[in-house]
């Protein structure tokens, strides 16, 4: 039950033992507010251990301190012990003044504040499948039924305050319904309002946009289509065996070729659908007892020189990344499995591919560089849980880092950077909480989703948010309240040999 305060640098250094507490919270000015078990409410600057001052004297039991959006510090004062009802107070952590806010008694045991310090929640007392919600200022409360007993819970971060649109480093694309049909949408880099760039008669399942932003390729209604954006120039590139399954298409850097998945990996000229050819076929054994030999290929992505494809390979359990040579017609393309399980891949301008993973049951957190060749040249860069990688303007690598290997539930992410060789790790931004976050080219802007909802077996969708965490700028895109499948346009800049 003891609470210890550490300095977090390259190693953890113990600063002070605070003992048993009835709650604590970090203040916006970097002080720590905490309620010792023996009583009182103390404030401490962690850089000066002699700075401890008491806002409430040690003779009064205090619990659940929290700083509200207006900067005031809210907390409960109890008569004798914190197991008895307490009363809500709020004060100014600068001049240490405080006063009563409510005369409603609250039993704070097991309670948890929401991020704004206005609501409390705990498991219901009258049954295992209930959650109690309480407004301590008025004493109003209600219980919510949940389908199973509550094991644990937490509040998500408060939705970010909307800012004005700001200039992005590239156009941003996403899927969302228009008049009940899912289309591809574009958020222009200049901050203009999003617009749908497709008008498919049936839902778009997946898509890709050419590097120059002039073409879009998408799966819809059992077909794979290429469209010149803003025109009626629409070409069907392939028929797909299952109208409900996408083809995870990808443009080459010139926009002249499209790779897609359908029982394997195919390539086709973007203007000549009759010339489609399959580079590699899925392996689906039919004999009993061979289920562990299944290999399904999807999500092909072109190398900058157009001579290789990376692809996602799914097995009976787990997944890997494969590199597939784009050979001339008539020459077999043998996929090279990386044996880096549970990873994703992104091509860099120098024609190497960065393979990364947040960690999980079948993978280790890592970032690895792979030089496409036979045999493969693989070098490990750093062991960190990473969701995305980008090349920065100064030729460093930006990593979208998780604080710990990927777990259950929402996670915060921050941007760190390293040298291409893996040295000189730097923290570039603070943490933000977003679902399906994606780094923009340049590595300074993050797009992601908040207020997540699911629709049966449909996609995980949410409110589109764009943030520049280094500057503290957040913009909630009002036209994209139900968005998914985010994708940045443009590419990482070319900076010679790095």
């Amino acid at each position: 039950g003891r609470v210890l305060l550490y300095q977090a640098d390259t190693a953890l250094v113990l600063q002070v033992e605070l003992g048993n507490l009835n709650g604590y919270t970090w203040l916006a000015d970097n002080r720590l507010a905490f309620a010792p078990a023996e009583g009182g409410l103390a404030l401490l600057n962690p850089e000066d251990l002699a700075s401890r001052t008491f806002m409430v004297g040690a003779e009064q039991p205090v619990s659940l301190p929290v700083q509200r959006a207006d900067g005031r510090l809210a907390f409960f004062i109890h008569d004798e012990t914190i197991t008895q009802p307490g009363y809500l107070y709020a004060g100014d952590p600068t001049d240490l003044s405080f006063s009563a806010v409510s005369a409603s008694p609250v039993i704070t045991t097991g309670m948890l504040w929401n991020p704004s310090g206005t609501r409390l929640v705990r498991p219901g007392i009258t049954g295992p499948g209930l959650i109690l919600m309480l407004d301590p200022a008025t004493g109003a409360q209600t219980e919510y039924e949940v389908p199973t007993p509550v094991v644990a819970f937490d509040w998500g971060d408060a939705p970010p305050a909307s800012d004005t649109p700001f200039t992005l480093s590239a156009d941003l694309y996403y899927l969302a319904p228009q008049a009940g049909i899912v289309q591809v949408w574009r958020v222009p880099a200049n901050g203009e309002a999003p617009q749908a760039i497709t008008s498919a008669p049936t839902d778009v399942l997946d898509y890709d946009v050419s590097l120059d932003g002039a073409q879009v390729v998408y799966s819809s209604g059992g077909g794979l289509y290429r469209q010149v954006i803003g025109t009626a120039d629409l070409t069907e590139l392939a028929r797909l065996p299952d109208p409900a399954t996408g083809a995870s298409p990808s443009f080459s850097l010139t926009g002249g070729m499209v790779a897609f998945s359908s029982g394997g990996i195919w390539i086709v000229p973007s203007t000549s659908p009759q010339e489609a050819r399959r580079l590699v076929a899925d392996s689906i054994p039919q004999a009993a007892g061979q289920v562990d030999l299944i290999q399904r290929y999807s999500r092909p992505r072109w190398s900058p020189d157009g001579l290789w494809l990376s692809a996602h390979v799914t097995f009976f359990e787990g997944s890997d990344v494969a590199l597939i040579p784009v050979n001339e017609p008539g020459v077999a393309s043998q996929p090279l499995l990386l044996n880096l399980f549970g990873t994703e891949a992104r091509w860099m301008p120098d024609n190497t591919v960065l393979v990364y993973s947040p960690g999980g049951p079948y993978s280790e957190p890592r970032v690895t560089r792979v030089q496409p060749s036979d045999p493969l040249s693989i070098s490990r860069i750093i062991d960190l849980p990473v969701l995305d990688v980008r090349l920065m303007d100064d030729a460093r690598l930006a990593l979208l880092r998780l604080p710990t290997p990927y777990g259950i539930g929402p996670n915060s992410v921050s941007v760190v950077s390293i040298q291409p060789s893996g040295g000189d790790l730097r923290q570039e931004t603070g943490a933000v909480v977003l679902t399906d976050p994606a780094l923009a080219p340049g590595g300074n802007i993050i797009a992601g989703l908040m207020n997540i909802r699911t629709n049966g077996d449909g996609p995980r969708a949410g409110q589109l948010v764009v943030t520049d965490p280094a500057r503290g700028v957040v913009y909630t895109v009002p036209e994209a309240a139900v968005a998914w499948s985010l994708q940045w346009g443009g590419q990482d800049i070319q900076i010679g040999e790095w």
Side-chain angles (χ1 to χ4, degrees), residues 137-228:
T138 65
Q141 64 182 42
T142 188
E143 283 187 324
Y144 296 92
E145 290 191 28
V146 292
T148 58
V150 177
V151 177
F153 52 79
D154 197 1
W155 288 95
D157 280 9
S162 295
D163 204 328
T164 55
F166 58 93
T167 301
L168 308 179
S169 56
D171 291 345
L172 176 62
Y173 301 88
Y174 61 94
L175 292 180
Q178 183 185 49
I181 299 176
V182 177
Q183 306 290 354
V184 182
W185 292 71
R186 174 169 59 195
V187 181
N190 61 11
E192 293 180 357
Q195 289 186 333
I197 61 172
T198 59
S199 54
T202 57
D203 287 348
V204 173
L205 302 177
D206 49 23
Y207 69 99
D208 189 37
V209 178
S210 60
L211 180 61
D212 60 6
Q215 303 178 83
V216 58
V217 59
Y218 60 90
S219 310
S220 176
L224 180 68
Y225 299 92
R226 190 273 307 177
Q227 179 182 348
V228 177

Side-chain angles (χ1 to χ4, degrees), residues 10-62:
T10 54
L12 289 178
V13 179
L14 180 62
Q15 293 289 92
V16 65
E17 180 175 341
L18 299 176
N20 294 332
L21 303 183
N22 296 333
Y24 66 89
T25 186
W26 286 103
L27 303 182
D29 62 8
N30 207 46
R31 287 183 296 166
L32 182 69
F34 60 97
E38 56 270 22
L41 176 62
L43 305 179
L44 174 68
N45 180 347
E47 296 182 356
D48 180 9
L49 299 182
S51 68
R52 181 185 305 201
T53 58
F54 277 85
M55 188 169 180
V56 179
E59 69 281 359
Q60 296 271 200
V62 174

Side-chain angles (χ1 to χ4, degrees), residues 52-108:
R52 181 185 305 201
T53 58
F54 277 85
M55 188 169 180
V56 179
E59 69 281 359
Q60 296 271 200
V62 174
S63 67
L64 293 184
V66 64
Q67 190 171 32
R68 292 179 162 177
D70 61 4
R72 290 173 63 79
L73 186 59
F75 50 90
F76 289 88
I77 293 181
H78 305 256
D79 290 335
E80 296 181 5
T81 69
I82 63 168
T83 59
Q84 297 174 325
Y87 297 88
L88 182 63
Y89 284 71
D92 186 340
T94 302
D95 63 16
L96 307 184
S97 62
F98 63 92
S99 60
V101 173
S102 172
S104 298
V106 175
I107 296 177
T108 61

Side-chain angles (χ1 to χ4, degrees), residues 449-498:
L449 304 175
M450 298 191 71
N451 303 331
I452 299 301
R453 78 275 333 246
T454 57
N455 183 13
D457 295 329
R460 181 170 60 179
Q463 170 68 61
L464 177 59
V465 174
V466 183
T467 177
D468 183 341
R471 294 194 297 133
V473 179
V474 177
Y475 177 56
T476 300
V477 183
E479 300 87 351
V482 183
W484 65 96
S485 191
L486 310 184
Q487 181 182 131
W488 286 99
Q491 69 168 343
D492 297 284
I493 59 175
Q494 176 74 59
I495 313 181
E497 296 296 327
W498 55 282

Side-chain angles (χ1 to χ4, degrees), residues 227-244:
Q227 179 182 348
V228 177
I229 297 174
T231 76
D233 185 352
L234 180 67
T235 303
E236 183 179 289
L237 299 181
R239 294 306 300 168
L240 305 174
D242 183 359

